[in-house]
Amino acid sequence: KMVNFLSKEESNLSNEFLKKGYLIKKIKDDKSLDFIKKLFLKIIKKKKEFKYLKDNEIFDQTHKYIKKNDLNDFRLNVINELNNNKFFRKNYFQCSKFLLDLIVGNELVMQKKINLSIQLPNDSSSLLDVHADVWSGDSPYEAVMWMPLVDCFKTKSMYILPFSKYKKYENNLFSKRIKNSQNLFDKIKKDVHWLDVKFGEILIFNQCLPHGNIVNKTKETRWSMNCRFKSVYSPYADKKIGEFFEPISLKSISRSAIKYSFPKIK
């Protein structure tokens, strides 16, 4: 039996993550959350269509002001400005630090650039078909932190196949009868969880599990960010430290050990 020195609260959270493959929890660092939202608004309001809108009209109602054909250029412009802000990634990390410390570790590497998704109602151009990131070269030691700027629910959110259901599919996810991602989704859809994540909450999930989204059938736009974290000393796959990841929380003993060299015997 594995030794467990975690507190009762930590054990409960750990067991919940192991059972479901994800956690949805309220952000504790309000200052970091406020920084991120204000940074978004500052960038978005540079565009004339948004300049005079009230803050609460911008995110859920983006589809009223941005055409589908212009969406990707708009999204790339916003995410480039965000990632060029030297405080953005630190505040993003601070929003999830209390969970990352428990679920992933406290000596972490973080994805160099945070991703942004904007999904307009009834728009099929920004879909992620069912997939697991490890199928395309990610390490199973990575966790994804997903953070919305709006309340996400039903088709405005994402789905995941929880661990409790994954076991019944894992040996035949790639059977000859599965010809494409739609076949796979049809196979598992009765068991996936549609995640209800409100603004002010974060989702941390295990990207070994099948997940994705479908066409947003609500009347609101979805804004969400995602970023990968892993323990600095855990095994890497295609995405390497220094290329895709960079260390963000090395402890003193690690920093000194990296520089240590054994004395030479003369």
Side-chain angles (χ1 to χ4, degrees), residues 44-67:
I44 294 167
K45 285 190 172 185
K46 290 179 182 179
K47 193 169 179 64
K48 61 182 180 180
E49 291 89 339
F50 298 98
K51 189 171 183 179
Y52 299 108
L53 292 178
K54 295 178 181 177
D55 293 353
N56 60 0
E57 294 175 326
I58 289 178
F59 296 107
D60 276 319
Q61 304 301 319
T62 303
H63 54 282
K64 294 181 179 179
Y65 309 101
I66 293 289
K67 296 177 182 177

Side-chain angles (χ1 to χ4, degrees), residues 91-109:
N91 280 277
Y92 189 91
F93 164 64
Q94 289 295 333
C95 286
S96 56
K97 184 179 183 297
F98 70 106
L99 283 181
L100 290 171
D101 281 354
L102 175 64
I103 301 301
V104 185
N106 62 8
E107 286 192 288
L108 297 173
V109 290

